[in-house]
């Protein structure tokens, strides 16, 4: 595991924290990338990953540049962030991880708490899709609806 991934995965010690305050702080500092493209937000108890994969495939089939954010990954962390069915490359991922770590440090100083692993991963996804110029993104909810970082 690279040092950048180790740093991000170390954020798992902050646990799961329902609420949107930290995610909003991260996205504000990134310039609100999630507002640059439409999003299909998939929630529910079962089948979210399958529904997301099918939706992404349908959007791609009609020619839309499509982002897909799912969790967890099966083999490599890169799998969580896909554009037109291709995972983000290591170079792009590591650059985004550094950028998000920087804004997370600023947000932590202001908020008095650290961003969680999932909050940072979600910020990476939104920023990656904006940089990639997706025309639509399919986003899988993490653990919890209205107060989930993906919301």
């Amino acid at each position: 595991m690279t040092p950048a991934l180790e740093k991000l995965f170390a954020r798992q010690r902050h646990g799961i924290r329902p609420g949107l305050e930290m995610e909003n702080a991260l996205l504000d500092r990134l310039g609100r990338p999630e507002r640059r493209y439409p999003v299909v937000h998939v929630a529910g108890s079962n089948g979210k990953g399958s529904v997301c994969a099918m939706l992404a495939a349908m959007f791609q089939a009609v020619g839309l540049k499509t982002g897909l954010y799912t969790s967890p990954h099966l083999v490599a962390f890169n799998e969580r962030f896909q554009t037109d069915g291709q995972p983000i490359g290591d170079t792009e991922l590591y650059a985004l991880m550094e950028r998000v770590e920087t804004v997370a440090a600023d947000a932590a100083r202001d908020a008095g708490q650290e961003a969680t692993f999932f909050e940072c991963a979600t910020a990476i996804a939104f920023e990656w899709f904006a940089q990639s110029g997706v025309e639509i993104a399919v986003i899988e909810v993490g653990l919890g609806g209205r107060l989930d970082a993906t919301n």
Side-chain angles (χ1 to χ4, degrees):
M1 188 179 292
T2 67
L5 274 174
E6 286 176 4
K7 191 171 187 178
L8 179 63
F9 274 83
R11 290 185 170 281
Q12 290 177 325
R13 74 180 181 275
H14 302 302
I16 297 166
R17 185 178 47 238
L20 302 175
E21 295 81 15
M22 181 55 73
E23 190 67 32
N24 279 322
L26 294 172
L27 295 172
D28 283 343
R29 285 170 172 77
L30 291 170
R32 286 295 175 171
E34 81 285 5
R35 294 181 180 167
R36 297 185 205 147
Y37 45 83
V39 170
V40 176
H41 195 212
V42 179
S45 299
N46 296 306
K48 293 185 300 288
S50 297
V51 170
C52 287
M54 287 185 280
L55 285 168
M58 288 188 301
F59 291 132
Q60 286 173 241
V62 298
L64 293 175
K65 186 168 186 178
T66 304
L68 174 63
Y69 175 54
T70 59
S71 64
H73 58 279
L74 299 176
V75 177
F77 183 63
N78 306 50
E79 296 169 19
R80 294 176 182 235
F81 318 95
Q82 296 183 30
T83 302
D84 284 344
Q86 297 301 308
I88 188 174
D90 288 344
T91 302
E92 296 86 355
L93 177 60
Y94 297 146
L96 283 168
M97 287 168 50
E98 286 181 23
R99 175 140 165 68
V100 169
E101 280 294 333
T102 299
V103 299
D106 292 342
R109 278 193 296 278
D110 293 347
Q113 65 182 5
E114 293 289 331
T116 67
F117 168 83
F118 192 70
E119 289 166 337
C120 287
T122 300
I124 289 168
F126 289 141
E127 181 68 11
W128 171 241
F129 297 151
Q131 288 181 12
S132 298
V134 300
E135 297 172 277
I136 192 160
V138 179
I139 307 292
E140 179 183 6
V141 169
L143 289 177
R146 189 172 64 81
L147 298 178
D148 186 82
T150 60
N151 205 16

